[in-house]
Structure formats: C-alpha cells, structure tokens
Amino acid sequence: MWTGRFAQETDAGLRAFSESVSFDWRLYPHDIAGSLAHAAALHAASLLSAEELGQIEAGLGAIRDEIARGEFQWRTDLEDVHMNIESALTARIGAAGAKLHTARSRNDQVALDLRLYLRAEIDLIVEKLRAMQRALVGLAERHADAVLPGYTHLQRAQPVLFAHHLLAYVEMFERDIGRLGDGRRRLDVLPLGSGALAGSTINLDRALIAQKLGFPAVSQNSMDAVSDRDFAAEFLAAAALCGMHLSRLSEDVILWTTSEFAFLTLSDAFTTGSSLMPQKKNPDVAELTRGKTGRLYGNLLRLLTVLKGMPMTYNRDLQEDKEAVFDSVDTLKITLGVFAAMLGEARTETATMARAAADPNLLATDLADYLVLKGVPFRQAHEVIGKLVATCAQRGVGFPQLTLADFRAESGAFDEDVFAVLDLRRSLESRRNPGAPSPANVSAQLARWRDVLRAN
Ligand code: ARG
C-alpha cells in the first residue's frame, strides 16, 4: 500500500517485528464503523458515487461478517487491521475500494479506532463494576445485622457492621466508575479528518462523520489529534486504581477465609484444592486478582513510557499503545465477572464474626468517651482506660468482669452506669454522625445504594 517508492521487498524479520495485526485485529468492528462513516462523507463531498458508496458498504459488511465467523485470512505482510481490511475490500469490489482511503491516514484512523474501542469497553466495564457493587450490597443486605471488629494496623480496633465494611468497597468502585466516566467524556472526540498530521486538502464534513459515529465533538488540532493517547493513559490509570481496590478486597477475602479469621466460606465452585494437601481449599480467585494488579499497574507505566519523549506528531512508537490497553480491558472484565460471582456464593460466618466482635477491648474508646462526657479531658481518659486494659490483661479478664471499685480505683468519674457502655449494640447505635456505622446510618446507606443501583 506504500510500495510506490520502494524497489526492495520488506525484510521478513522486519515484517514480523513491525506487524500489529496479530493484536490490533480486534479493532475490526470499530475500523469498519469508522470506514463506513468516512465513506458517507466522501459521498457527501461527491468523491464517491452512490453506487460506489453502496459497494463499499456491502463490501465492508461482508468483511465484517467474514471476520466474525472466523473465516477472514489475516495477513501479517499487510501490517495492521486497517491495511488488511482495506486490501480485502479492494480485492472484493475493485476500484471503489481503492478510493476509500481518500483524505484519511492510518494515523487518524488508528486514533479513531482506539477511541471507539475504548468508549465501548468502558461502558462494558462500568456494567461489570455495577454488578460488583450489586454483589457487595446483596451480601451486605443478607447479613444486615452482622457485626465484626473493624481493624487498623490489622489489629482489632472498634466494632463495625459487616455491611459498613462491604459498603466501603462500594464507595471505591463508585469512584472507579466516576473516573472511567470522566475519561470517557474526554475521549469522546472525533480525531478522523486530522489526516497524517495536517488534515487534508480535501475537506470532508467532519461534523457529519462525528454525528454518524456518535461523537459530540471534533478535535481542533490535527497534530494533537493524531498523537494524543491521553485518553488511553487515563483509562489505564483508572484501571490501575480499580485494580488496587480489587486487590484490597482480595486481601480481606483471603484473610477472612483463613482458619484464623473464619469470617467467610467460599463455595467449592470458586476455590481450588491442593494436589498435595487434601484438606486445602484455596481462595485462588482473590489471590489471582491481587496478582493481576501487577498487570494493571504495569500497563499504565508501559504506555506512559511509550508516550514520553515522542516528538510531534505520530511516531511508530504509538503502535505499542494497544496491547497495554487490551490487556487492562481484558483483565478488568474477567476479574470483575469472576469476583462478583464468587461473592454471590460466599457464606458469611456471622457467629464467628460476632465472637470476635465481642472482644471487650473493642469498646475501650467508648469507655474513654464515657469519661469525657463525665468531664474528664480526653488525654487523661485515654490514660485511665489504658491502665484498665493493662489490669484486664494481667487478670486475664475483660472490662465487664471488673467491679465498679476496680474502675473507680483509676478514676472517681466512673459510676454504676459505666456497665451500660459495655454493650456492643449501644456502642454501634451511638455512632450516628454522617458516615459512621450506626445501624440506622448503615441501613440508610444500603437504601441509597439500592436506589443508585436500580437507576443505573
Ligand atoms: N499499525 C499502526 C499503529 O498501530 C497504524 C498506524 C500506522 N501509521 C503509519 N504511519 N505507519 O500505530
């Protein structure tokens, strides 16, 4: 397609080195959609007759079907998806096919295809994130009363509702959806018409092409448009953060399924055994998810590094953008799907959670707050309760086993009503500020998420 000025055949080694069709073939539905819109604009500019347009439309449709059926012969000597499809079209319909590339370069074509591809994939990923949120909210609703220790430093800290813990992840995934949406808005711009870098002397109706492809805007700088991959980097950054959230959730699931925690039991369908140790039931989904975060981070760095230091405008370096994007798309989609399904079948061990949450030390801060309400400055109250914790540890008992005299030995501010503080329910119910895990707050949050998920 560019052999006019060349006398020598391309070296076979270079061909293998330079081809991208082995991975960019998957852009084909978008490449064809872009070509159909471009052909319509060529016809509107009287550069294609109605008959030629009809031939192109029929030819591209037939090629799309052939590819979908797996019968299309991809040729690596034709470098990429764009040249493969154009060459097949010309082989099929002749002269009209050879007119399609008028006022277009593969530089604006590939920029277009990648935008169309990512726009569609972002929508699918958002659906999967919604399914993930539904799985988490469903699990929370099934165990709306379950209480477990909340942790800091992975040490038991204060009691929380299990639902509150799960809804923390729903919030994270909501931010992921927001970030993907932000990126999607910025990528929703038509680059086609930018040509190789400087538009074309043949001026097609870009607004018409944009409208046909559902873009609300057309790019305003041809040099930027052919070399811009910000949208891909933004997607990869959003994917990396989403991977981080999935990895944190994985870590919780892994901890919860240990004999040490035993808060969660995964179904047989979503665990694997050991070929050596017959008793093992491993949380491989969560471990693989945690591991795949490496890809998601790596793909972001890979693209950022490709983009760094590229002179204006299109450079062949840019061919290295696609595999990173494809891999993050594939990784997120498969991970979100399997993880949500796994959560749907997980059994929550609420009795074990309740036993852990009954640890009286979880209410140490409540006792300090009690003293504060009796007029003791917080720092002093903290010290007093710290001493009582030490006393309990020494005697091998919890706060409820102390007598009022024990309490009063550390501070005269204690009264008989101190024992009422040592009630888990009361502790939770007192945490009423916005964002805190009182049962009333948490059920309001569950209702809010139910509404959000019903509307989306
Ligand atoms: N295969 C190329 C890529 O993925 C398509 C654009 C090639 N453009 C060019 N001028 N060689 O980036």
Side-chain angles (χ1 to χ4, degrees):
M1 282 188 185
W2 36 255
T3 50
R5 67 155 291 173
F6 289 78
Q8 224 186 338
E9 281 280 305
T10 313
D11 177 79
L14 166 59
R15 242 186 267 150
F17 177 68
S18 131
E19 66 84 19
S20 59
V21 68
S22 57
F23 51 87
D24 69 15
W25 68 269
R26 55 197 270 177
L27 294 174
Y28 80 86
H30 309 292
D31 195 73
I32 289 173
S35 287
L36 288 171
H38 185 68
L42 286 171
H43 172 61
S46 305
L47 293 162
L48 285 179
S49 68
E51 196 196 340
E52 288 170 325
L53 176 64
Q55 288 172 342
I56 288 176
E57 287 173 346
L60 287 174
I63 289 169
R64 183 169 45 204
D65 294 346
E66 204 176 300
I67 299 172
R69 285 197 307 270
E71 288 164 9
F72 187 84
Q73 285 301 316
W74 295 104
R75 286 172 50 186
T76 52
D77 58 319
L78 290 173
E79 185 180 310
D80 53 29
V81 62
H82 325 292
M83 286 170 58
N84 267 270
I85 290 175
E86 191 192 326
S87 146
L89 179 68
T90 307
R92 198 178 266 271
I93 66 170
K99 291 189 176 179
L100 178 62
H101 210 53
T102 308
R104 183 175 76 170
S105 156
R106 276 184 297 148
N107 297 355
D108 56 350
Q109 192 177 358
V110 71
L112 169 67
D113 290 6
L114 197 57
R115 281 175 190 260
L116 287 171
Y117 164 81
L118 255 185
R119 189 174 69 178
E121 292 297 338
I122 284 173
D123 292 346
L124 296 177
I125 291 168
V126 166
E127 270 174 36
K128 291 193 179 290
L129 278 164
R130 289 283 176 222
M132 187 72 179
Q133 288 180 313
R134 275 190 194 96
L136 288 162
V137 169
L139 190 58
E141 280 177 329
R142 285 198 292 286
H143 308 284
D145 296 329
V147 182
L148 82 177
Y151 296 78
T152 62
H153 311 271
L154 205 52
Q155 305 286 321
R156 283 181 187 170
Q158 291 172 339
V160 291
L161 284 173
F162 180 52
H164 193 61
H165 191 135
L166 294 175
L167 289 182
Y169 287 102
V170 177
E171 297 278 352
M172 293 179 220
F173 293 130
E174 187 67 18
R175 291 196 294 277
D176 292 327
I177 290 170
R179 264 185 288 274
L180 288 167
D182 291 343
R184 190 193 189 286
R185 268 188 296 285
R186 265 184 299 279
L187 77 68
D188 213 5
V189 174
L190 175 83
L192 201 71
S194 303
L197 76 161
S200 172
T201 56
I202 299 167
N203 294 297
L204 300 183
D205 183 352
R206 297 189 70 206
L208 172 72
I209 300 175
Q211 182 231 315
K212 287 199 171 290
L213 294 171
F215 285 109
V218 305
S219 59
Q220 297 297 312
N221 184 299
S222 60
M223 297 178 77
D224 178 43
V226 293
S227 58
D228 170 32
R229 295 293 184 274
D230 290 6
F231 64 94
E234 282 192 65
F235 166 75
L236 292 177
L241 282 171
C242 182
M244 179 269 286
H245 295 149
L246 284 165
S247 185
R248 292 184 62 193
L249 177 56
S250 297
E251 184 62 16
D252 272 346
V253 167
I254 291 164
L255 286 171
W256 289 346
T257 54
T258 59
S259 313
E260 285 70 17
F261 275 82
F263 290 173
L264 201 68
T265 305
L266 299 174
S267 74
D268 287 356
F270 288 98
T271 45
T272 59
S274 158
S275 52
L276 177 74
M277 299 164 282
Q279 86 283 13
K280 293 296 288 294
K281 191 172 165 190
N282 298 327
D284 289 31
V285 171
E287 291 172 285
L288 276 166
T289 299
R290 194 174 54 183
K292 283 177 189 295
T293 313
R295 289 170 176 253
L296 296 169
Y297 289 8
N299 289 333
L300 171 62
L301 206 63
R302 180 171 167 185
L303 181 63
L304 288 174
T305 310
V306 167
L307 299 178
K308 171 187 176 298
M310 257 203 324
M312 291 284 258
T313 50
Y314 179 89
N315 298 270
R316 196 63 188 284
D317 315 37
L318 284 174
Q319 183 168 297
E320 291 289 320
D321 60 356
K322 279 173 281 294
E323 287 160 293
V325 171
F326 294 157
D327 187 63
S328 284
V329 164
D330 293 344
T331 300
L332 269 190
K333 278 164 73 180
I334 195 165
T335 304
L336 287 166
V338 175
F339 214 108
M342 177 185 76
L343 288 179
E345 290 194 8
R347 198 177 69 225
T348 301
E349 308 297 348
T350 50
T352 324
M353 286 184 186
R355 266 197 301 283
D359 178 349
N361 276 341
L362 294 179
L363 299 178
T365 325
D366 295 56
L367 282 176
D369 290 348
Y370 164 91
L371 285 179
V372 166
L373 293 176
K374 299 273 184 189
V376 180
F378 180 75
R379 278 290 151 236
Q380 212 173 306
H382 187 286
E383 172 80 16
V384 166
I385 307 301
K387 286 191 175 139
L388 288 168
V389 169
T391 305
C392 287
Q394 230 164 31
R395 297 189 198 163
V397 298
F399 296 129
Q401 280 75 52
L402 297 181
T403 63
L404 183 57
D406 292 329
F407 279 107
R408 291 184 66 89
E410 296 300 340
S411 167
F414 283 114
D415 274 321
E416 198 56 61
D417 59 355
V418 65
F419 293 101
V421 175
L422 299 174
D423 179 73
L424 191 59
R425 278 284 139 191
R426 193 184 126 138
S427 167
L428 281 171
E429 275 155 17
S430 314
R431 299 170 184 280
R432 281 188 297 265
N433 239 348
S438 73
N441 277 358
V442 172
S443 79
Q445 288 299 312
L446 281 172
R448 176 172 77 85
W449 283 116
R450 245 192 326 270
D451 286 348
V452 169
L453 293 172
R454 201 174 305 122
N456 286 282

